[in-house]
Amino acid sequence: MAHVYVLNGPNLNRLGTREPDIYGSTTFDELAADCVATAVGLGLTATVLQTNDESELIGWLHRAQDEGAAVVLNPAAFTHYSYALRDACAMITSPLVEVHLSNPAAREEFRHTSVISAVASGTIAGFGVDSYRLGLRAVAALLAG
Ligand code: DQA
């Protein structure tokens, strides 16, 4: 069974109470459980992780590459400026789908740039928790060829 890492960047551990008008009221633990269940329904196994630390996130991407695992990545604010994260994503040879709960293109100017999108298989943004479900579906479709 193919494995997918669902990786989450800074401040996403605060989901549920963090700007709920933008990010919704689902907690991170609820989101993680939803991703695991969605993955199982797609015939995948999933590990869901969150960190506020750029270095840790890069380490997880290295691990995904070493294991040949796919990735669903919400880089959070790192999306907009982390070339180190981008370079780690560029090394991934399995599907890597960038996801966002909100639609950064409809928000502040600084969110309009993603340094990740060009090295992702694709990007899904603006659908709340559904962005992750759709991201996992995209991974399953890409793996199925
Ligand atoms: C986000 C959008 C980013 O601009 C922001 O910094 C986040 C969350 C999203 O899921 O909508 O932390 O990635």
Side-chain angles (χ1 to χ4, degrees), residues 7-143:
L7 303 179
N8 294 275
N11 302 305
L12 292 168
N13 55 318
R14 309 294 288 183
L15 287 178
T17 54
R18 176 193 180 194
E19 299 179 89
D21 46 319
I22 296 172
Y23 298 114
S25 55
T26 303
T27 66
F28 181 75
D29 286 349
E30 289 166 347
L31 173 70
D34 192 292
C35 287
V36 169
T38 299
V40 168
L42 292 164
L44 306 169
T45 55
T47 301
V48 185
L49 300 168
Q50 188 279 329
T51 182
N52 297 321
D53 180 341
E54 186 180 23
S55 155
E56 188 168 33
L57 192 51
I58 289 168
W60 290 338
L61 287 162
H62 293 172
R63 190 200 300 173
Q65 174 60 12
D66 289 346
E67 295 176 6
V71 176
V72 170
L73 173 65
N74 185 344
F78 293 145
T79 305
H80 312 301
Y81 66 89
S82 175
Y83 297 120
L85 193 64
R86 177 203 162 102
D87 284 351
C89 290
M91 282 188 251
I92 303 281
T93 49
S94 292
L96 183 153
V97 177
E98 176 187 357
V99 299
H100 300 281
L101 293 154
S102 67
N103 179 3
R107 299 180 61 197
E108 303 95 319
E109 187 82 27
F110 76 90
R111 297 186 202 277
H112 296 182
T113 297
S114 169
V115 301
I116 306 298
S117 295
V119 292
S121 306
T123 301
I124 298 167
F127 301 106
V129 174
D130 268 341
S131 292
Y132 286 75
R133 298 184 185 123
L134 293 166
L136 286 162
R137 280 184 62 180
V139 162
L142 289 167
L143 289 173

